[in-house]
Amino acid sequence: MTMDIIAQKLVVRDWPLKEPGDEEFFGYLVALGVFPGGDWEGDRIFPYADFAYGDSYARFRLPYDDGLLEQLQKHLADNLEILAASGSIAVKLWIQLTENGYKVDLP
Amino acid sequence: MIDPRQVAASVVGAVDWQSEVSGYCRCPGESLHTHKTGKKDCRVNVDGAPTIYCFHASCAPVVAEANRRLRQELGSPWTLTLPGGKVLRAGDVLQSSGAILPRETVLARAKVEGRHPGEQLILETLVAMAGRFKPELFEKFHWPFGQILSDSPLLVADRDPDDQFRTWLKLWPAHSTVWVGDIYSTGRPEHATHFRPLADWYQIGPAMGNYTCGSAFKPGTFSRSNANCDGTRFLVVESDSLTKDEIGAVFAYLNNRLRYNLHAIIDTAGKSLHGWFDCPRNKVMEDRLKAALTVFGCDPKLFTYSQPVRVPGAWRDGKLQRIVWLKD
């Protein structure tokens, strides 16, 4: 099976939330992973999250934040479970950087 | 070779062109308008499926006849050289990016989608047109959150959680089986308890989760899938990019101009409002609405009728998910 999305050049975007108070709607969480690069160490290997919304598909380089990674893993697991149970996914995410870490929420 | 803009002007009179292919014109059915006419209420577009579109509904028969004439007169081949030298042909669509969508691509998409080529052209044109009149739509149908609250035919926003929930249950036909739960309360036999007849929910109240669906389900199901929907459904319109003060324009446009019946507006206790509407009456209308709503900033996935949405009467981080507008 060929999929259009694989044929696209996928730009890895920098993580946009820099300061407490920054927030953004990302879309439906569809993948988490490790991007391999370089000698499998250093700056060229990093965690990422993929989000889809409408016709767009975006990959973000994630910061090394245990709380954020843990919450994203839970939401991705929910999407996989819902996909298996209902034939679709439902978890789309707003993420906010607060003084106490990342707050991940459904709209 | 004919100039499509001259042809359009011969049908609608003087046109204030805003781009090479689209401009404001006097509505051919202006005398039938029942509300004040603004200068930007009517547009004529010559690309794709040539179309005159007016924000008023009362002029629709006259506009439809003018559209028939416009399309007939623009039926012969024409070309238009755009700034930069690109050439637009009859049947091509000028997209908001400035790129030309060639008519051959429209035909290819129709084949892939299993859609009639004429309907595919209308859809592609609709997407381009929706982008063009989006600013006017948000201006003309502006319905900020505060106004929505005060315009509600029934005062509901201050009702307590149980009352909110039971008021919402009244939207449904009496025989409906409705799902209430958390988004993952689906797919296993133990989740059958989240799919109940209305009478059960009246007794239980809003205690089983923060979400519901715009669709009712077949009795006995435990999976929130499209295949298990029973055909009773609402179109729940939402946006993740529009604010509570912006999304009201989309609700008002659907309700007042497109005549989709608005039943209720629900405040999600987060950043958004959900509008509960009657569904499009067929797949063609649904596809057209989906194309336009996506351009306006709505989530195209709202047309997945088993998609979970916030249920009124449930608490979310100390805030109540509540109905803020309810039809009498």
Side-chain angles (χ1 to χ4, degrees), chain A residues 61-81:
Chain A
R61 179 176 180 143
L62 294 172
Y64 291 102
D65 184 286
D66 288 347
L68 175 64
L69 292 173
E70 197 173 304
Q71 290 180 82
L72 292 177
Q73 285 178 64
K74 180 198 167 296
H75 285 300
L76 182 63
D78 283 347
N79 256 346
L80 288 168
E81 190 174 331

Side-chain angles (χ1 to χ4, degrees), chain B residues 218-262:
Chain B
K218 296 168 187 167
T221 188
F222 56 82
S223 180
R224 197 192 60 234
S225 64
N226 282 354
N228 289 330
C229 293
D230 78 347
T232 304
R233 62 192 195 187
F234 294 92
L235 174 68
V236 183
V237 177
E238 60 163 324
S239 171
D240 300 296
S241 56
L242 301 174
T243 65
K244 287 182 181 178
D245 284 330
E246 292 171 327
I247 186 72
V250 178
F251 297 161
Y253 175 66
L254 285 175
N255 191 42
N256 302 337
R257 171 61 180 86
L258 299 187
R259 306 290 192 208
Y260 282 91
N261 196 13
L262 176 61

Side-chain angles (χ1 to χ4, degrees), chain B residues 4 8 11-12 15 17 21-25 28 42-54 63-64 66-72 74 78 118 121-130 132-133 257 288:
Chain B
V11 175
V12 296
V15 179
W17 293 102
V21 296
S22 178
Y24 303 122
C25 62
C42 189
R43 261 187 187 262
V44 61
N45 304 272
V46 298
D47 62 332
T51 302
I52 303 158
Y53 187 80
C54 181
V63 171
N67 269 321
R68 194 191 59 75
R69 273 185 55 213
L70 180 69
R71 288 172 186 174
Q72 192 174 38
L74 285 175
W78 54 261
L121 182 60
I122 287 174
L123 274 178
E124 305 288 1
T125 307
L126 205 156
V127 168
M129 280 174 47
R132 287 168 202 157
F133 70 63
R257 171 61 180 86
R288 292 182 183 183

Side-chain angles (χ1 to χ4, degrees), chain A residues 9-72:
Chain A
K9 181 184 277 187
L10 190 61
V11 176
V12 180
R13 301 184 189 179
D14 286 337
W15 186 243
L17 310 183
K18 310 281 189 198
E19 308 283 339
D22 288 353
E23 61 178 329
E24 189 163 317
F25 174 73
F26 285 84
Y28 292 90
L29 178 61
V30 294
L32 281 173
V34 176
F35 196 92
D39 296 325
W40 297 84
E41 61 181 1
D43 196 41
R44 292 178 63 190
I45 180 168
F46 54 83
Y48 68 81
D50 288 358
F51 294 90
Y53 193 76
D55 293 332
S56 76
Y57 190 97
R59 173 165 294 180
F60 289 88
R61 179 176 180 143
L62 294 172
Y64 291 102
D65 184 286
D66 288 347
L68 175 64
L69 292 173
E70 197 173 304
Q71 290 180 82
L72 292 177

Side-chain angles (χ1 to χ4, degrees), chain A residues 1-10:
Chain A
M1 180 170 71
T2 57
M3 298 174 72
D4 287 345
I5 201 162
I6 302 300
Q8 293 175 2
K9 181 184 277 187
L10 190 61

Side-chain angles (χ1 to χ4, degrees), chain B residues 160-203:
Chain B
D160 66 41
D162 280 344
D163 203 357
Q164 285 280 340
F165 184 71
R166 293 190 174 96
T167 301
W168 167 79
L169 289 175
K170 288 176 186 165
L171 298 181
W172 296 91
H175 64 274
S176 303
T177 295
V178 171
W179 173 83
V180 177
D182 286 315
I183 54 168
Y184 43 79
S185 308
T186 173
R188 295 186 185 143
E190 60 264 34
H191 294 135
T193 188
H194 292 276
F195 295 80
R196 291 173 179 266
L198 287 187
D200 284 11
W201 289 121
Y202 275 107
Q203 296 296 319

